[in-house]
Structure formats: C-alpha cells, structure tokens
Amino acid sequence: MNALPLLLIGLAMFAGGYLLYSKFLGNRVFRLDASFSTPAHELRDGVDYVPTNKFVLWGHHFTSVAGAAPIVGPAVAVIWGWLPAFLWVTLGTVFFAGMHDLGALWASARNKGRSIGALSGRYIGGRGANLFLVVIFLLLLMVVAAFAVVIKNLLISTPSAVIPAWGAVAVALLVGQAVYRYRMNLGLVTVIGVAALYGLILLGDAVPVELPDPILGMSPATFWILALFVYAGVASLMPVWVLLQPRDYINGVQLFVGLGILFVSVLLSAPAVVAPALNDAVPAGTPDLVPLLFVTIACGAISGFHGMVSSGTSSKQLDKETDARFVGYFGAVGEGMLALGAIIAATAGYRTLADWESVYSAFNSGGVAAFVEGGGAIVNGGLGLPASLSATILATMAVLFAATTMDTGVRLLRFVVQEAGEVVKVRINNGAGTLVAVAVGMGLTFSQGAGGDGGLRIWPLFGTSNQLLASLTLSIVAVMLIRKRRNPVPALVPLAVVFVMALWAAFVQLGDFYDAQDWLLLVIDLVIIVAALWVALEAVLAMRRASREPPEALDADVTAKAGLTA
C-alpha cells in the first residue's frame, strides 16, 4: 500500500476529534465560560501572567508540548509495524490527549493558574502532592537533559540547521516587539516572520556551520550543551511576551508549514509504505508490543508533560476560558499530526523493505534520524527539493521543537523548585530557582563525561513516568468533575487505560534494570512506581470523598464573579 490512505484517514480523524469531540468536552463536560475571569487578567503581572491572543498562545503551547518526542516515539515504535503506531496516535490523540490537555488547562485556569503539582495538594491531599512533585521533578529533569543532547546531536550531524536554529531567536525577539510594543497586525508579522525563518533555512543550507574542534578549549558537543543551557536559563527569566510567546508562535506556524510540505509531498508522490503493518520479525531484544507501545509513543498520543505546560505556562496566558478548547485540544491535534508525519516518514521514506530493515536493526534504532532521512526522501520525491535542503528543513523542525520544549522545561523546573521550597517553608526567587534548575539539568547532562550523553542516562524511564503523570493529572480532573457533579467518564477511561499500561511497563523495566544490574535506573524506577501507586490510592480516596460530599456550594465561575477565592 502507499502512504496516502494513512495520511487522509489520520487527518480526517483529527478533524473529527476537534470539530465534534472537543466541542462536546467544552460545552457539556467543562462548560467553558467566556465571561470567566482567567488568571491572566486576575493576576496580570506582565511576566508570567499575560492575556494572550489565542493563536499566539496556541503557538506557544503546541511547540512547547511537542518537542522532539512525537518524532522520536513514533519513529521508534514502527519497529512493531505501522498499524499499532497509527492506531495509538490517532485514537490516543482524539480521545486521550485532547481530553488530558484541555482538562489540565481548564483545571489550572479555574484555580488561579496553579500547576498540576499544586492542584494535587488541593484535590488529592498533601501527601499525594509531595509525591507528585517528585514525579514531576524527575520527568522535567529527563526532558531538559535529554533534549539538550538531542539538539546538540542535530546541530553537529546537520550543520546546515545551525543558522536557522539560532537565527529563530532573533526573529522571535523582533516579532515580540512588533506585536506587543508596536501593536502591528498579527497576520502581517506572521508572514514576515515565517518568511524570515525560511530565508534562514536557505542560508543555513548554503552556509553550514561546523564548529572547530576544540572551540574555546571545549569539544563542539560540550560547547553546544553549555550554550543551550545558558540560553534556556536566560529565556526562562524573560517576560513571556518578549521571547517565549513570539518564538513559540512563529515556530509553530513555521513547523506547520514544514508539516504541510511533508504532507503535500505525500499527496503528490504517494510513496509506498515498505514497512509491514504488523512486524512479525522484530530484531532480537525488542520488547513486547504491549505494554511498551503505550509508553514508547507518549507525546503524539498522550503525555503527562502536556499537563505541566498547560498548568505551568499556558493557563497563565489564557485570555478567555473558551480559548482553552483551541489552545489545549487543538494543541494536542497539532502534535498528533506531527506524530502521523513521523510514522509516514519512517515507513514510507525508504525504497525497499530491506532498506527499512537495515535502519531498524534494533529497538531504539529509529528516531529523529529516521524521520529526517525518510522525510527528506519523501519531500525530495514529491516536490523535487534538493535532498540537502529537504533534510535541513526537517532537521530545523526537530531542533526548534526540541529547543522550545527545553527552555519551557527549564521555566517549569523553576516553578517546581519554588513549589518545593514552599513545602519546606523556604522562599526561592526566580533567579535562584532558575539557577538550581540549570545546575541540576547540566549536572545530569554531563554526568557521563564532557560529551553530554549523560542526558540520556535516565531517558529510558521517560515514557513510563510521563504516562503515569498523565494518568495522575487526569485523576485531578476527574475529582474536580465529580465535585461539580459533571460527567467524569471522559477522564476516567483514558486514566484507567494509561495508568495500567504505564505501571505494567514500569514493572517490566524494573526487571530489565535488575537483569542489567543498572542500580541507578532500578532505584529511580522503584521510586516512581511507589510514588505513582501512592498518589493513585490517594486519588481513588479523593474521588470517593467527592462523590459522597454535597456538590460544591459555589461553582468556580460564580466565585470568580463574586470576587471570592476559587
């Protein structure tokens, strides 16, 4: 078969999910209210709390939650065949990720922009909240350290991406000034900004930047990682309108253009899917499809990291509560589209099955490289773009996704450090919190040498901890819905499926770490399992209490209008 049916069916499912299911969630389950005073207005400070145009906020949210994970996960998971990956991405996006992201955004907006960790203290209990913070901290640490390594590797392997990757920062700063300081038309600024980014891509393809070895007494790998952490630390301290919002918005538009180039290439060339629908000849050492599929593809189906972004930054910028449907649910759809593109690139971007099998010779042998190589071949065949330019476009997409997630992750890690300080009655300001976040992230990244590959040290635990966090986030949403006497089933079904699969995978990995005598990962995995089980028990008890208690005396929208504490 060719890739065209996969593309059309996948896009149709995403469109149906947004037009139908998200409308049901917004109107019947969450009852979004345009007159509700959001935290961006109530707590406006010009730094973190800033009312934002929903299209700009969608750009921030989409690029922050996406990162490289919806490329890596699907491009690895197709080793089991394209069909399981396709089904989990499409169904997971529509019924799981959309509910999770929209629910987390709504829950935080209804609670003054508090993070999921803080909400767990209110709706589940103090003990659960402290354990929740442990899981969140470990997950953010994995994201920040691992994405630094991913970006570093791409900048070294694809030097043509260096100029557009760093030039995008300058473009974003100019876009922020144009929109917020000079009040220029958003459409005009968007066109100019995207044109500038693609001009940088053309320049980067013509003038690739390969760093000398050594540079300033460091290897290129060490230099890039240091530069990335310095940038992320500075960016996380800036007001969101200066860099975070405009960079993520313009990147989001550019990345959708990149996806459009890939999808149009599929439409024009209808490349053959050479990978099997179900792979019965997986390489030796490949884990079982169930439960590992459900944690290998996290971002792109459902991801706990999205809940941290929704409640950490996006909820503080929500202009109207009704914008949450576009920002949260459609943000998940955008990531699902990226995951769909990764599946097609990694299965239809090779000429023969033998070529595909040579790449997928072992588990984890796919990933970003397979996406760039396969997607570049499809774009080259569909639009006739030079192979080097096609690879530059896709590599730049991956770098920009990963970079936006990395510096958002540092900002979120700073929030977690500050929340942990509140638990022990120590006030931590923004500068100190950022310094701790950057120091811990860099410490892990360089823990195995100056090459920085220590950032991948605990990455094998990302999928399980990420999905466990998603289920725990859904438990908070479910408790809120039960307390308001609204239908909790749309939250409870994905909660149950994801929690069982993620916990199962965590126990499987526990055995793998024991057999490999990897005691560090074994201990971290055990901590995550204990914390998740404990929080889950607390959540079940909270749901029982909520169902037995009278409905909330004052709904959040009423309390907000009355000027009371929500």
Side-chain angles (χ1 to χ4, degrees), residues 113 141 194 220 263 304 328 339 441:
L141 189 58
V194 172
F263 290 163

Side-chain angles (χ1 to χ4, degrees), residues 402-442:
T404 53
T405 301
M406 181 186 172
D407 54 28
T408 298
V410 170
R411 186 180 289 257
L412 294 173
L413 198 54
R414 183 243 295 176
F415 291 156
V416 171
V417 170
Q418 291 174 312
E419 288 178 1
E422 292 175 2
V423 172
V424 296
K425 310 299 182 185
V426 174
R427 186 179 182 279
I428 301 175
N429 61 32
N430 289 351
T434 299
L435 186 62
V436 171
V438 169
V440 174
M442 287 181 60

Side-chain angles (χ1 to χ4, degrees), residues 22-40:
S22 75
K23 184 175 291 187
F24 164 76
L25 293 175
N27 294 341
R28 302 293 297 277
V29 177
F30 298 120
R31 301 178 190 175
L32 303 178
D33 182 2
S35 64
F36 173 74
S37 179
T38 64

Side-chain angles (χ1 to χ4, degrees), residues 100-187:
H100 172 275
D101 294 14
L102 172 55
L105 187 55
W106 166 78
S108 179
R110 286 280 167 166
N111 286 274
K112 300 185 182 298
R114 294 187 179 98
S115 72
I116 286 297
L119 292 182
S120 64
R122 175 176 183 181
Y123 290 102
I124 295 180
R127 291 172 301 184
N130 293 337
L131 292 168
F132 214 112
L133 280 178
V134 172
V135 177
I136 291 174
F137 180 82
L138 290 173
L139 183 63
L140 284 172
L141 189 58
M142 295 178 205
V143 169
V144 168
F147 279 22
V149 177
V150 169
I151 299 167
K152 174 263 294 183
N153 289 340
L154 281 169
L155 292 178
I156 292 174
S157 65
T158 314
S160 57
V162 172
I163 288 178
W166 290 103
V169 177
V171 172
L173 289 170
L174 293 174
V175 168
Q177 294 297 315
V179 172
Y180 285 99
R181 188 177 296 276
Y182 298 106
R183 306 294 179 182
M184 294 177 63
N185 179 269
L186 180 61

Side-chain angles (χ1 to χ4, degrees), residues 39-379:
H41 291 281
E42 186 178 357
L43 303 174
R44 184 170 188 164
D45 62 3
V47 178
D48 294 318
Y49 294 84
V50 179
T52 304
N53 177 285
K54 70 176 183 179
F55 296 103
V56 175
L57 182 55
W58 171 85
H60 155 68
H61 183 82
F62 166 55
T63 52
S64 294
V65 300
I71 296 174
V72 176
V76 169
V78 294
I79 199 168
W80 289 298
W82 61 260
L83 182 59
F86 176 79
L87 291 175
W88 177 226
V89 163
T90 52
L91 295 175
T93 294
V94 171
F95 296 107
F96 288 47
M99 170 66 195
H100 172 275
D101 294 14
L102 172 55
L105 187 55
W106 166 78
S108 179
R110 286 280 167 166
N111 286 274
K112 300 185 182 298
R114 294 187 179 98
S115 72
I116 286 297
L119 292 182
S120 64
R122 175 176 183 181
Y123 290 102
I124 295 180
R127 291 172 301 184
N130 293 337
L131 292 168
F132 214 112
L133 280 178
V134 172
V135 177
I136 291 174
F137 180 82
L138 290 173
L139 183 63
L140 284 172
L141 189 58
M142 295 178 205
V143 169
V144 168
F147 279 22
V149 177
V150 169
I151 299 167
K152 174 263 294 183
N153 289 340
L154 281 169
L155 292 178
I156 292 174
S157 65
T158 314
S160 57
V162 172
I163 288 178
W166 290 103
V169 177
V171 172
L173 289 170
L174 293 174
V175 168
Q177 294 297 315
V179 172
Y180 285 99
R181 188 177 296 276
Y182 298 106
R183 306 294 179 182
M184 294 177 63
N185 179 269
L186 180 61
L188 176 63
V189 172
T190 301
V191 172
I192 295 173
V194 172
L197 276 180
Y198 273 92
L200 289 169
I201 288 175
L202 291 172
L203 178 61
D205 188 56
V207 188
V209 177
E210 294 189 58
L211 297 182
D213 189 4
I215 175 173
L216 301 178
M218 299 175 283
S219 69
T222 302
F223 176 85
W224 281 133
I225 288 175
L226 287 174
L228 287 165
F229 272 104
V230 169
Y231 159 73
V234 172
S236 71
L237 289 171
M238 287 183 174
V240 290
W241 67 268
V242 173
L243 179 59
L244 185 77
Q245 283 181 0
R247 180 214 56 210
D248 291 356
Y249 168 68
I250 211 70
N251 282 351
V253 176
Q254 182 270 142
L255 293 165
F256 248 64
V257 172
L259 270 180
I261 291 173
L262 177 61
F263 290 163
V264 169
S265 299
V266 173
L267 289 171
L268 293 177
S269 63
V273 177
V274 299
L278 292 170
N279 189 9
D280 296 326
V282 296
T286 302
D288 292 336
L289 169 66
V290 179
L292 265 297
L293 170 72
F294 298 92
V295 297
T296 301
I297 301 179
C299 299
I302 181 173
S303 166
F305 180 71
H306 294 200
M308 290 187 286
V309 175
S310 293
S311 64
T313 57
S314 298
S315 64
K316 298 176 176 62
Q317 302 169 56
L318 199 64
D319 184 31
K320 297 179 181 179
E321 190 180 53
T322 48
D323 292 346
R325 177 174 162 242
F326 181 77
V327 174
Y329 194 99
F330 193 63
V333 167
E335 186 173 65
M337 291 172 65
L338 179 59
L340 176 63
I343 291 171
I344 292 173
T347 58
Y350 299 91
R351 291 188 301 172
T352 66
L353 176 59
D355 290 339
W356 181 82
E357 289 177 336
S358 69
V359 173
Y360 285 86
S361 58
F363 188 64
N364 281 329
S365 57
V368 174
F371 170 75
V372 172
E373 180 183 349
I378 291 173
V379 172

Side-chain angles (χ1 to χ4, degrees), residues 435-455:
L435 186 62
V436 171
V438 169
V440 174
M442 287 181 60
L444 175 61
T445 307
F446 288 121
S447 63
Q448 290 187 311
D453 291 332

Side-chain angles (χ1 to χ4, degrees), residues 292 295 460-462 464 504-514 525:
L292 265 297
V295 297
L461 288 169
F462 171 78
T464 51
W504 183 358
F507 277 109
V508 169
Q509 288 183 314
L510 198 64
D512 293 340
F513 297 146
Y514 179 81
D525 193 13

